Amino acid sequence: MTALSAEGRNGNYPGKGIGQPVGVAVLGMGTVGTEVLRLINEFSGSLENRIGGPIDVRGVAVSDLSKKREVLEKFPDITLTDNARELIDRDDIDVVVEVIGGIDYPRELVLAALNAGKSVVTANKALIAAHADELSDAANAAGVDLYYEAAVAAAIPVVGMLRRSLAGDQVQRISGIVNGTTNFVLDAMASTGASYEEALAEATRLGYAEADPTADVEGHDAASKAAIMASMGFHSRVTYDDVHAEGITNITADDIAAAAEAGFTIKLLAICERLIDDVGNTSVSARVHPTLVPNDHPLATVDKSYNAVFVEAEAAGRLMFYGNGAGGAPTASAVLGDLVGAARNKILGGRAPAENPYAHYPVADFGDVPTRYHIDMSVVDRAGVLAEISRRFAAQDISISAVRQEESGEHSRLIVVTHQSLERKLAAIVDELRDIDEVKSINSVIRLGA
């Protein structure tokens, strides 16, 4: 990361002055972009008081100029264009709001804006997860702001909390439900007994799931957010490619029922941890996977499409942030919050606290991450099978926390819950179990822990 000069830190970022307008360009006018413009118009007076000068939306870039957009009637003097670069290069633009989505094209636009001395507000989680280092360097070199609160859990103030509120603390662990679609599906399965396919169909019908839900149900969306949270929380560079991601497509109604019987709820969690090995070396881990959450944990009660982030810090202790993690209005709220900060700095001078990955902790190999397994298998119903399986666990130095066996027709259903061990050792024992003649099938393997 490019360090700021002493002159920069001492305020070599002069402001425009109280009462001066802040020129804004909005790139993209889908659901979020439309809500941003609506809120700017509706709150214009109070926003001016908070900033010290008026927000003047001077241009909007869209892909289809022929589409009618009613909100633009409130902004009769703005430029509507399909040439975003031309808008960015204008001298009267101070702040660029990027709500297009995607990675490659938005990266070009955001870099161009930063290099041109414009502050940037973006809601683009995929872009930040992939290129935060490059974009942060560009912002630092130009002495401008890069804000992205809306990239993680929309209106829930996760980025600001990690960047500012806990700046003097040491974050140990972050675990969160950061995808509303998957939480809706899992909650529907738990509350109605529906299959995964039935719950996903209902989520699609109600508009909680996209026509192509792959990014959500396979964990990709949550992985981008995990990368951002880990980078912010541990002051180290973590990208999307560093995050181990598994989705919910293999979760069955039987898994949900077995979890409930054992006192757990299944949630798709993004988990970010600071890890210290036996000789004192620190690394960080970021992962996304279905997780058995104890019913008495606050995250277990997060239902429908809501999001929640649970943070454990050295001094602050345990904190939880809860609310709408997606949708046009909540996301626009986060964008407006960032826009107020960026615009105020343009008026008064100075910059917001920048991302600072000074720690440079390495990302741990997923196999070296400690976790626990809940293994559901079908076994031959005869004496000695449980003893043989227990012997295999002991030989791998994996301690068993609980065992439950149920009659199930020709075979028995055996559920084994382990104590904490390394991921690679637990994965290895599952592979070994598959090769035992008495084990007819491994029905599911779900990790424990919030």
Side-chain angles (χ1 to χ4, degrees):
M1 187 182 91
T2 303
L4 292 178
S5 66
E7 292 80 6
R9 287 195 300 270
N10 289 332
N12 191 25
Y13 304 117
K16 301 179 69 171
I18 295 291
Q20 293 299 309
V22 177
V24 174
V26 178
L27 312 184
M29 209 177 157
T31 301
V32 175
T34 299
E35 279 294 303
V36 167
L37 289 172
R38 184 185 68 80
L39 292 176
I40 288 174
N41 175 69
E42 183 176 340
F43 301 153
S44 60
S46 58
L47 289 174
E48 181 175 350
N49 289 326
R50 297 171 203 177
I51 291 166
I55 289 179
D56 187 356
V57 181
R58 291 172 173 160
V60 175
V62 297
S63 59
D64 182 2
L65 291 172
S66 66
K67 184 177 179 180
K68 181 175 175 58
R69 298 169 172 88
E70 291 183 5
V71 72
L72 293 182
E73 295 174 3
K74 306 292 185 180
F75 301 88
D77 298 326
I78 70 169
T79 299
L80 182 66
T81 179
D82 58 2
N83 189 333
R85 283 298 299 268
E86 184 177 88
L87 194 58
I88 287 169
D89 291 338
R90 281 174 42 172
D91 292 337
D92 62 344
I93 299 299
D94 302 303
V95 181
V96 172
V97 176
E98 185 274 309
V99 284
I100 299 172
I103 296 180
D104 294 337
Y105 180 53
R107 170 181 166 273
E108 293 177 14
L109 297 178
V110 170
L111 278 174
L114 295 171
N115 291 333
K118 325 288 184 178
S119 291
V120 170
V121 174
T122 179
N124 193 330
K125 55 188 169 287
L127 173 65
I128 297 300
H131 296 294
D133 51 351
E134 180 183 29
L135 301 179
S136 295
D137 285 350
N140 286 336
V144 296
D145 289 324
L146 173 64
Y147 281 92
Y148 45 87
E149 180 65 68
V152 180
I156 304 174
V158 176
V159 173
M161 171 267 297
L162 294 171
R163 178 180 281 180
R164 294 185 294 274
S165 302
L166 294 180
D169 209 333
Q170 179 162 283
V171 174
Q172 304 290 3
R173 195 171 192 268
I174 306 166
S175 52
I177 298 165
V178 294
N179 183 271
T181 299
T182 52
N183 202 55
F184 181 92
V185 170
L186 292 172
D187 182 59
M189 292 174 70
S191 60
T192 69
S195 67
Y196 165 77
E197 291 78 12
E198 291 168 339
L200 179 59
E202 179 67 2
T204 304
R205 185 183 72 81
L206 294 173
Y208 292 116
E210 301 287 346
D212 180 0
T214 303
D216 295 323
V217 300
E218 295 291 355
H220 306 316
D221 173 84
S224 292
K225 297 167 183 176
I228 296 170
M229 292 191 296
S231 296
M232 300 297 297
F234 307 132
H235 306 285
S236 299
R237 173 61 53 228
V238 180
T239 70
Y240 170 86
D241 290 336
D242 295 320
V243 181
H244 175 87
E246 299 174 23
I248 65 168
T249 55
N250 292 325
I251 298 297
T252 66
D254 286 343
D255 294 330
I256 299 287
E261 290 174 12
F264 293 94
T265 300
I266 299 178
K267 298 292 186 182
L268 183 73
L269 292 191
I271 300 174
C272 311
E273 290 183 296
R274 182 191 303 267
L275 305 174
I276 301 177
D277 66 17
D278 294 338
V279 296
N281 296 317
T282 300
S283 61
V284 298
S285 167
R287 61 193 191 272
V288 171
H289 51 67
T291 307
L292 286 164
V293 179
N295 285 337
D296 60 356
H297 192 284
L299 288 176
T301 63
V302 179
D303 62 358
K304 300 185 175 72
S305 62
Y306 282 91
N307 284 193
V309 176
F310 193 81
V311 181
E312 299 169 57
E314 185 71 24
R318 290 152 51 104
L319 309 168
M320 188 164 118
F321 303 81
Y322 168 88
N324 281 318
T331 305
S333 172
V335 170
L336 260 293
D338 282 350
L339 180 56
V340 167
R344 186 189 293 124
N345 289 339
K346 289 294 183 180
I347 293 289
L348 301 177
R351 295 181 63 209
E355 184 182 23
N356 186 6
Y358 68 89
H360 301 295
Y361 292 134
V363 177
D365 184 275
F366 184 56
D368 293 329
V369 173
T371 187
R372 298 176 64 194
Y373 272 19
H374 177 284
I375 307 169
D376 184 338
M377 64 190 102
S378 296
V379 301
V380 174
D381 187 10
R382 68 166 178 257
V385 173
L386 179 57
E388 173 61 16
I389 289 174
S390 297
R391 185 188 69 78
R392 299 291 184 114
F393 276 87
Q396 295 293 340
D397 195 28
I398 298 172
S399 176
I400 294 176
S401 170
V403 175
R404 188 168 82 252
Q405 189 166 1
E406 303 172 356
E407 297 296 328
S408 180
E410 180 182 353
H411 302 127
S412 290
R413 183 184 185 190
L414 182 65
I415 295 175
V416 176
V417 180
T418 74
H419 283 295
Q420 194 172 79
S421 186
L422 295 183
E423 170 68 26
R424 55 181 166 78
K425 294 178 66 175
L426 291 168
I429 193 65
V430 171
D431 288 340
E432 187 174 333
L433 291 173
R434 296 184 198 278
D435 293 333
I436 299 175
D437 290 340
E438 290 82 1
V439 176
K440 295 306 177 184
S441 65
I442 302 292
N443 302 320
S444 68
V445 177
I446 304 176
R447 299 174 185 86
L448 285 81

